[in-house]
Amino acid sequence: MDDKQRVGLEAAKAVKEGMVVGLGTGSTATFFLRELARRIKEENLSVQCVASSFACSLLAKAEGVSLLSADQTDRIDLYVDGADEVSPEKGLIKGRGAAMVGEKLLAEACGKFIVIVDQGKLVEKLGRKFPVPVEIMPAAVSLVRPGIEALGGKPALRLAPGGKDGPVVTDNGNLILDVTFPADPDWHALDAGLNALPGVVGHGLFLRYAKKSTVLVGHPGGVRVLA
Ligand code: 5RP
């Protein structure tokens, strides 16, 4: 079994009758969603689900999982999602799938956050493997750059890899700058600094959710919980 599948299956065990469940985006979260869909059908489990992105909403529909839109609920009991990097302090970088704004909405709202990753996502320090994705209003594409550079970042517009010319456009109609920072910056200051820039809609640094997070790490021998 794939390591991503292991954690997806494990996280699905945490879903209980009557919960409002946030569905993450990406290949690991897809394993969770498929297993949840199976439990809903086979165990006649009654849960309400909220999608973090258009991609996972399409997948939920294909799996026969009915959805609440995010504006129809004021509570998320459990949110399960993958990540691109996980630090020992349970800080995350998310957004390779360009869905971090919808994902952060659910991470902020949820009572419990289960992060599901394979071992390759664990890093000693954030930013070692991935840049920080920053979602910006299209009109801000030039004007926001000096502000990001003043924070020490090097922004690069994310381009669509195929099938579309030009930049990736998010579910919210915005663009993404992938921002590289010099090694080991003050991530909390950057979190606040990015949030404060006009034109920035959101970003993929998830630093505030460690307390309510359980990180499940898949490895060939099974699943371990990051303490
Ligand atoms: C999407 C995300 C994903 O959770 C993250 O990219 C991990 O994806 P995968 O499980 O496919 O490795 O943040 O915006």
Side-chain angles (χ1 to χ4, degrees):
M1 190 190 289
D2 185 278
D3 291 345
K4 293 185 177 193
Q5 187 176 8
R6 274 182 229 287
V7 282
L9 298 187
E10 187 64 28
K13 293 179 188 166
V15 178
K16 307 281 182 247
E17 183 75 14
M19 278 184 165
V20 179
V21 181
L23 305 174
T25 302
S27 56
T28 320
T30 295
F31 284 115
F32 166 75
L33 172 52
R34 293 209 168 113
E35 175 62 5
L36 179 58
R38 185 198 66 73
R39 285 196 59 204
I40 290 170
K41 276 180 218 134
E42 292 181 12
E43 299 173 25
N44 207 18
L45 188 68
S46 174
V47 291
Q48 293 182 295
C49 294
V50 180
S52 60
S53 68
F54 190 60
C56 95
S57 157
L58 288 176
L59 190 70
K61 281 181 198 143
E63 292 290 328
V65 173
S66 55
L67 293 172
L68 280 179
S69 60
D71 61 297
Q72 287 175 307
T73 182
D74 54 11
R75 84 169 218 266
I76 307 282
D77 298 306
L78 173 67
Y79 175 43
V80 178
D81 201 355
D84 299 309
E85 289 190 355
V86 181
S87 74
E89 298 78 29
K90 298 186 203 167
L92 313 176
I93 290 182
K94 289 183 51 54
R96 180 208 46 80
M100 62 281 179
V101 167
E103 292 171 340
K104 198 176 274 186
L105 187 65
L106 301 191
E108 182 75 32
C110 72
K112 187 164 172 43
F113 185 10
I114 300 185
V115 181
I116 49 176
V117 293
D118 58 85
Q119 292 184 106
K121 303 294 182 61
L122 301 180
V123 292
E124 272 308 307
K125 307 266 186 190
L126 291 177
R128 289 291 156 91
K129 295 183 176 176
F130 277 88
V132 177
V134 179
E135 181 163 333
I136 56 158
M137 294 162 52
V141 69
S142 301
L143 293 173
V144 81
R145 282 172 184 267
I148 289 177
E149 284 161 1
L151 294 171
K154 279 199 182 135
L157 184 63
R158 190 182 294 186
L159 298 175
K164 174 187 179 294
D165 292 335
V168 166
V169 178
T170 71
D171 290 354
N172 312 305
N174 295 314
L175 306 180
I176 293 188
L177 295 173
D178 285 310
V179 184
T180 313
F181 290 97
D184 307 333
D186 178 342
W187 288 113
H188 288 276
L190 283 178
D191 181 12
L194 289 169
N195 285 336
L197 290 175
V200 168
V201 178
H203 60 77
L205 275 176
F206 284 49
L207 304 180
R208 301 170 32 153
Y209 311 117
K211 269 196 188 144
K212 62 178 169 183
S213 297
T214 300
V215 179
L216 301 182
V217 185
H219 59 91
V223 172
R224 76 180 169 92
V225 180
L226 196 70

